[in-house]
Amino acid sequence: MARHSILDILNDTLRKETLEKVRVMQFPAGQVLFSAGQNCQGLPLVLGGRIKVQMTGVSGHSIVLYRMEADDICTLSIGCLMTGRAYRAEAVVEEGAEAVMIPRGVFDRLMDQSAGFRLGIMESYGRRLDDLMLLVEEVAFRRMDQRLEEWLLGRAARGAVVITHQELAVELGTAREVVSRLLKELERRNMVRLSRGRIEVTGLLDRQHRAR
């Protein structure tokens, strides 16, 4: 049986009727759940695994908007369902995921008949909107070298990050060439050590510890 906090909000009748119309689906790593320009068929509720939602601009550069894990709701799908517009980004499975899809008709009924469901959806949408506003602020107003160092430090508890330059560029919303240039400069300053698909950040960590 699908277990998700937004379903637990429903009264017994609505929950039973909803569970009869959805099924648990398994998605392997690398599978694309939806693409830009595709119409939204329903609301995905993530039960496990990890899914990233990313947008690609006309320049060809991509940026990760957000990630979904257990008990998350797809914010982009909420917007598409409420406006009737197609997706403007894509969702890709990073770690084998499990999810259920609430069909559009069921979503509309739950929004109409369950105040708790409606509030839960809007709260989820609001929280994600706050996160996206912070992302916009970072991209628009912070220097890329500062964002790169902060990203690396936030994910290098053991002194290294396993990631390619292209993947890192997508995380930061910039070009691979920019990331490579900044990493080379950090390496020149002995802040990082670069190898294929791996970035050792012991120099950055040492500097961070000295600053405390």
Side-chain angles (χ1 to χ4, degrees), residues 123-142:
E123 285 180 343
S124 173
Y125 194 86
R127 287 193 299 270
R128 189 71 75 184
L129 183 60
D130 281 345
D131 293 341
L132 291 174
M133 291 297 290
L134 290 174
L135 176 62
V136 169
E137 181 180 350
E138 278 207 356
V139 172
F141 303 119
R142 293 193 63 200

Side-chain angles (χ1 to χ4, degrees), residues 29 43 49-50 56 66 80 91 101 113 124 136-137 145 147 153 166 172 185 194 203:
L43 179 67
R50 188 171 71 217
T56 302
Y66 59 89
C80 292
M101 177 76 75
Q113 297 185 7
S124 173
V136 169
E137 181 180 350
D145 58 340
R147 294 181 57 219
L153 285 170
Q166 179 59 45
L172 297 173
E185 174 60 20
L194 304 177

Side-chain angles (χ1 to χ4, degrees), residues 2 34 50 54-55 65 74 77-78 88 95 105 126 129 131 149 152 169 180 186 202 207-208 210-211:
F34 56 75
R50 188 171 71 217
Q54 61 186 26
M55 175 180 284
L65 300 177
C74 182
S77 296
I78 295 173
R88 297 188 63 185
E95 295 180 0
L129 183 60
D131 293 341
E149 290 184 18
L152 291 171
S180 295
L186 287 173
T202 50
R207 189 186 66 181
Q208 184 184 57
R210 289 195 302 269

